[in-house]
Amino acid sequence: MTNSQKFDESYDVVVAGFGLGGAISALSAAQAGAKTLLIEKSPVPGGLSICSYGAVRSARDPELAFTYLKATNDGRTPDDVLRVLANGMCGLEEYVRELGRINNAVIMNSVEENAEREKSGDPYRRQIRANYPLPGTDTFYHTTVVNIPGFDARKTYPWANGAPGGPKLFKIVHDHLDKQGVEIRLGTPALQLIADPDTRRVRGLRILTDGVQRTIEARRGVVLACGGFEGNADMKAQFFEGKPVLNAAARMNNGDGIRMAQHMGAALWHMWHVHGAYGFRHTDPNYPYGIRVKRMPDWFPGESDKVKVKMAWILVDQDARRFMSEYQPYTQDTAVRPLSRYDPVKQRFPRIPAFLICDEQGRKMYPLGKSTSNDEGIRYDWSDDNLKEVELGILKRADSIAGLAQQLGLDATRLTASIERWNSLCAKGGDDDFARPRNSMTPIAVPPFYGAPVWPVLSNTQGGPVHDAEQRIIDVYGKPIPHLYSAGELGSSFGHLYLSGGNIAECIVTGRIAGRNAAAG
């Protein structure tokens, strides 16, 4: 562009992406006095955030929080960025409680929430610490919006199909945006950043609205909060070793913000790092998402004997051999990784797909899958007894292990041997092969038997443009790109091990910083 660039509209701050990170960015910018426009590519708001558990990772002590984050990022994220995140987490409970006053939300921390769950006999309690036994773990807990009087998520956000807590957290922020008068445009993708060719100062965005391209001036700054690249098959094929990797939701997260930042010269980080597990593929080719396996309670390394919930299944590879602990400390985060092993002798990924196997008792335990989406007109609800999935062909059923092997295309002799080995370990009372928590073990012995191919399924990507402690996007030479900021999952600080509830906390912490700094110009 030239300095004489004419814009169709003008704002102080433009925020691209109406998930939680973008919502907090826009709210913070508006509260700082900036005329703010919030745009969203999808025709519905919420991004991935609205599908989450809504558990905001909070901390008590900033130094201990930093120590833990530094250990879990293993040198991949600068200390000053981690310190800002750690400091911000220490104020999140107070901030969320303050936000919740707008609609009289009931907000609890982990201790309060667990006390209520204990009264009801609910075994699914929040872990009051981080995920791993590293220095600083005990400073962490969660803050959760547990109830909003009169709020019905299915009526207000009928397109959101995820955990119950995500819509509640999103609702209190959404109400603040409305009160603040932030202009919101849905179905409006950002196409390209507009910058001064000499100074590289970002001056605005080219957008698409009602099929027409328009240019929007951002006098003080642009915040990219467009999420990751979960829905971009080409980017996943280039940045991940294993393929295909299915996405659990957010098909419109196509890496738009990453490409726009790259166009300005942004450096990238953490592109390999994903948060995910393994799951099913729907037999309807038009259903765009992988369906994650049931979310099991997390357990703390060194305390596997505290696991109380049975896991109904085991996994085997394409050679019908078991290859991993199916129940890791944080299964929904790291269990995606073992599936991406490549066999250079056989020239294939022998675990993509792998195969989930259970018996009739396992089928009756609980729904084996949990679908997630945030789309108009796209919704799938897994059945309580798993029988709808048998009828659809997602799960195969047979009266014998040999018969199930035939349906799944596996060697019957090896699958029978794998099941016999597993049952012997269950009888012994311990998994000598892969150290799965012993209390989660249950034999596979009662016909009929069930099985299904399962693929790596990612909840979200962590990679994107590098940012500094002020949320300024950094170029390949280590310099900030003027007036360009990021928030949330777009270039997350998590670059090695994830922290449950960490992206939600990051959306709030980084959104507050990015919005405030963009408004300052």
Side-chain angles (χ1 to χ4, degrees):
M1 64 158 279
T2 66
N3 290 331
S4 61
Q5 167 77 43
K6 301 296 183 182
F7 291 94
D8 296 313
E9 299 177 74
S10 183
Y11 293 81
D12 293 324
V13 173
V14 180
V15 179
F18 190 12
L20 186 61
I24 294 290
S25 297
L27 177 61
S28 297
Q31 289 173 334
K35 181 184 178 184
T36 303
L37 173 66
L38 175 59
I39 62 173
E40 165 58 44
K41 178 181 182 179
S42 171
V44 300
L48 271 173
S49 312
I50 204 169
C51 298
S52 76
Y53 280 81
V56 182
R57 179 57 77 169
S58 308
R60 300 179 184 88
D61 183 279
E63 190 60 35
L64 291 175
F66 166 73
T67 300
Y68 182 89
L69 291 174
K70 185 174 175 64
T72 54
N73 277 281
D74 196 34
R76 300 175 192 263
T77 306
D79 285 0
D80 61 340
V81 174
L82 295 178
R83 283 195 181 277
V84 166
L85 182 57
N87 292 343
M89 286 179 172
C90 291
L92 284 183
E93 181 179 351
E94 179 182 0
Y95 181 70
V96 174
R97 289 186 185 277
E98 180 182 337
L99 288 175
R101 293 192 184 103
I102 195 169
N103 47 27
N104 299 313
V106 178
I107 293 166
M108 294 184 181
N109 60 36
S110 298
V111 175
E112 297 166 333
E113 194 175 359
N114 283 350
E116 291 298 314
R117 291 184 175 191
E118 188 171 7
K119 289 179 185 177
S120 65
D122 184 354
Y124 293 85
R125 298 172 192 161
R126 295 282 184 208
Q127 182 168 279
I128 310 177
R129 55 185 162 184
N131 299 96
Y132 300 102
L134 296 164
T137 188
D138 290 328
T139 197
F140 291 100
Y141 64 100
H142 287 106
T143 301
T144 307
V145 181
V146 297
N147 185 47
I148 301 174
F151 172 62
D152 184 337
R154 287 297 297 269
K155 290 182 179 178
T156 306
Y157 304 119
W159 48 81
N161 182 23
K168 297 171 188 174
L169 177 62
F170 190 78
K171 172 63 173 172
I172 64 174
V173 179
H174 199 168
D175 284 355
H176 276 278
L177 290 171
D178 290 342
K179 181 180 179 181
Q180 198 68 37
V182 172
E183 183 176 348
I184 298 169
R185 297 185 193 176
L186 301 174
T188 303
L191 303 178
Q192 188 175 5
L193 292 164
I194 300 172
D196 186 289
D198 298 322
T199 65
R200 296 190 312 149
R201 173 186 169 180
V202 173
R203 294 185 58 196
L205 279 166
R206 188 177 302 279
I207 68 170
L208 185 67
T209 180
D210 296 326
V212 177
Q213 289 194 22
R214 297 179 65 83
T215 55
I216 308 293
E217 182 180 26
R219 293 184 294 265
R220 303 185 194 176
V222 170
V223 180
L224 297 179
C226 313
F229 56 98
E230 296 86 2
N232 190 316
D234 291 338
M235 290 182 73
K236 289 188 292 185
Q238 291 301 327
F239 290 115
F240 307 155
E241 180 180 6
K243 63 184 181 75
V245 176
L246 310 183
N247 59 314
R251 64 191 173 94
M252 291 192 181
N253 279 13
N254 300 128
D256 299 333
I258 297 172
R259 288 192 299 275
M260 285 189 286
Q262 282 184 289
H263 184 65
M264 296 292 105
L268 302 180
W269 63 6
H270 309 156
M271 297 302 289
W272 68 277
H273 190 203
V274 303
H275 169 52
Y278 50 87
F280 308 95
R281 175 176 267 168
H282 203 293
T283 48
D284 180 356
N286 294 317
Y287 186 75
Y289 300 121
I291 303 172
R292 292 174 296 181
V293 293
K294 173 182 170 59
R295 174 77 153 91
M296 306 296 284
D298 300 336
W299 56 275
F300 201 68
E303 299 181 357
S304 63
D305 282 352
K306 291 186 177 180
V307 171
K308 302 300 182 185
V309 179
K310 298 292 185 185
M311 177 178 268
W313 64 86
I314 64 169
L315 297 183
V316 298
D317 63 16
Q318 292 164 16
D319 294 319
R321 295 187 175 95
R322 190 163 168 256
F323 60 90
M324 65 180 280
S325 169
E326 298 85 358
Y327 194 172
Q328 298 180 8
Y330 186 9
T331 299
Q332 287 291 341
D333 178 49
T334 55
V336 68
R337 299 186 188 187
L339 275 70
S340 292
R341 176 186 171 270
Y342 184 73
D343 186 335
V345 175
K346 296 181 179 179
Q347 296 290 302
R348 61 185 169 106
F349 292 99
R351 303 168 183 173
I352 304 179
F355 296 88
L356 179 149
I357 310 293
C358 72
D359 69 356
E360 178 69 359
Q361 289 187 334
R363 193 270 301 170
K364 293 178 178 179
M365 283 184 185
Y366 37 62
L368 296 174
K370 177 64 178 77
S371 52
T372 307
S373 58
N374 186 31
D375 306 80
E376 284 186 313
I378 297 176
R379 186 183 183 101
Y380 179 76
D381 293 305
W382 195 280
S383 67
D384 290 338
D385 60 8
N386 302 294
L387 292 179
K388 180 174 71 172
E389 288 65 40
V390 175
E391 293 175 5
L392 290 170
I394 298 172
L395 293 172
K396 304 297 183 182
R397 178 171 56 192
D399 292 330
S400 67
I401 294 296
L404 184 64
Q406 182 178 18
Q407 289 197 51
L408 297 175
L410 298 173
D411 182 274
T413 300
R414 284 200 295 266
L415 183 59
T416 299
S418 293
I419 298 299
E420 289 176 348
R421 170 64 178 170
W422 172 250
N423 289 343
S424 71
L425 293 173
C426 291
K428 183 180 178 180
D431 181 8
D432 293 341
D433 295 342
F434 298 102
R436 177 167 141 180
R438 60 177 181 159
N439 293 331
S440 75
M441 299 172 67
T442 186
I444 298 173
V446 179
F449 301 97
Y450 301 85
V454 291
W455 281 262
V457 176
L458 65 89
S459 299
N460 63 287
T461 59
Q462 305 290 353
V466 175
H467 65 78
D468 65 8
E470 296 297 322
Q471 292 305 126
R472 299 178 298 181
I473 293 181
I474 304 302
D475 71 12
V476 294
Y477 299 107
K479 302 295 185 182
I481 299 170
H483 291 219
L484 184 61
Y485 303 86
S486 69
E489 180 194 325
L490 182 70
S492 169
S493 297
F494 293 101
H496 180 60
L497 284 174
Y498 181 59
L499 173 64
S500 62
N503 281 141
I504 293 297
E506 188 175 34
C507 283
I508 299 175
V509 173
T510 63
R512 295 179 75 185
I513 295 169
R516 181 179 64 243
N517 288 342

